Amino acid sequence: GGVSARSFARWNGLSWTTWPTTDGVFQYPLNDAPNRMVVKDGSLYIGGLFNQAGDVLANHVARYDGTNFYALGAKPANGFSSPPINVSCIGQADDGVYVGGLFTAAGRTLANRIARWDGTNWNTVGDGTMGGTGSANRVLAIAGRGSDVFVGGRFTGVGDITVSNIAHWDGANWWQFHQRLRSAEHGDRESHRAMGRIPMVSSRIRRQWKRQRSRGRRQRKCLRRRLVHLGQFQHRKPHRDVERL
């Protein structure tokens, strides 16, 4: 859009803007290319090949609040610094920002190909992914929904579970992708069955009430006929209790 920018720019709905100049000299915000971005709690999280963001040492991942860059994690790591390193994807869920790629540690935390940033510290995601050395075991995609995180890439295991390149993390445990979906689907079916039984029960109650009311009417008619047969209504006005029958 006519604005000088390298690797980083912002669109405000009308025009492009980028990192401000210093003494009239344009400063590149990232010293290498970013791969993925995600917004969480008003901040932009960026992952990629860079190791510096603005004037901050930030190894492959950084947070941008609209004005300044911040490193994720304590020195000397400030992100990811244990080779081999490649941040391929970033996603967000209720409990933080999830970063995946080709790495064995996040900050000072050992993390195999996937890690979670809670806003203050790096955390493991179970035992991470497994299935080979180097790029044979690699997280390439992360998508979050509520407390659920869906992970794709090149791997054959998560924890002690055998999977095929895709898995589901529920915030505490790993699942095979299809297994978790079937479990949720089964729960939905049971809920629907229970909801379907409610109108059946209510209609059964209505039928019972109608039968009882009809039975009461028949009993009153039978009593009236007996009283007439015994002559209770002859030559005098019937008692008001009898009139109600």
Side-chain angles (χ1 to χ4, degrees), residues 4 10 27 37 63 86 103 113 123 132 147 191 202 207:
S4 297
R10 177 172 58 188
Q27 303 293 321
M37 301 180 182
R63 179 175 71 87
N86 188 300
F103 53 82
R113 273 52 174 186
N123 301 267
S147 61
S191 298
S202 61
R207 288 196 300 270

Side-chain angles (χ1 to χ4, degrees), residues 59-60 77 79-85 87 102-115 122 124:
N59 285 311
H60 306 285
F80 300 85
S81 64
S82 299
I85 307 168
V87 172
L102 180 61
F103 53 82
T104 56
R108 297 176 180 175
T109 302
L110 294 177
N112 199 25
R113 273 52 174 186
I114 184 170
W122 286 107
T124 59

Side-chain angles (χ1 to χ4, degrees), residues 31-200:
N31 67 344
D32 211 330
N35 288 332
R36 295 291 185 272
M37 301 180 182
V38 69
V39 175
K40 173 72 173 175
D41 298 330
S43 289
L44 177 67
Y45 290 83
I46 309 169
L49 304 176
F50 57 88
N51 57 29
Q52 185 170 341
D55 57 355
V56 174
L57 178 64
N59 285 311
H60 306 285
V61 63
R63 179 175 71 87
Y64 181 63
D65 65 1
T67 303
N68 299 303
F69 284 99
Y70 301 88
L72 274 62
K75 295 180 179 180
N78 284 333
F80 300 85
S81 64
S82 299
I85 307 168
N86 188 300
V87 172
S88 302
C89 51
I90 297 183
Q92 63 92 18
D94 288 347
D95 58 355
V97 174
Y98 286 76
V99 179
L102 180 61
F103 53 82
T104 56
R108 297 176 180 175
T109 302
L110 294 177
N112 199 25
R113 273 52 174 186
I114 184 170
R116 177 176 64 88
W117 175 255
D118 64 9
T120 305
N121 300 299
W122 286 107
N123 301 267
T124 59
V125 181
D127 293 327
T129 63
M130 292 161 284
T133 59
S135 60
N137 176 19
R138 184 174 182 176
V139 172
L140 297 172
I142 297 175
R145 184 185 64 184
S147 61
D148 296 310
V149 179
F150 304 93
V151 179
R154 299 173 184 168
F155 50 86
T156 58
V158 286
D160 58 352
I161 300 174
T162 299
V163 297
S164 181
N165 302 317
I166 189 169
H168 177 193
W169 174 256
D170 66 2
N173 301 290
W174 284 108
W175 296 79
Q176 290 180 334
F177 186 70
H178 63 280
Q179 176 186 11
R180 187 63 170 168
L181 289 182
R182 280 204 302 263
S183 176
E185 184 182 355
H186 177 72
D188 289 343
R189 284 201 301 266
E190 290 301 315
S191 298
H192 291 159
R193 287 171 184 160
M195 292 300 293
R197 283 194 291 267
I198 292 175
M200 293 173 60

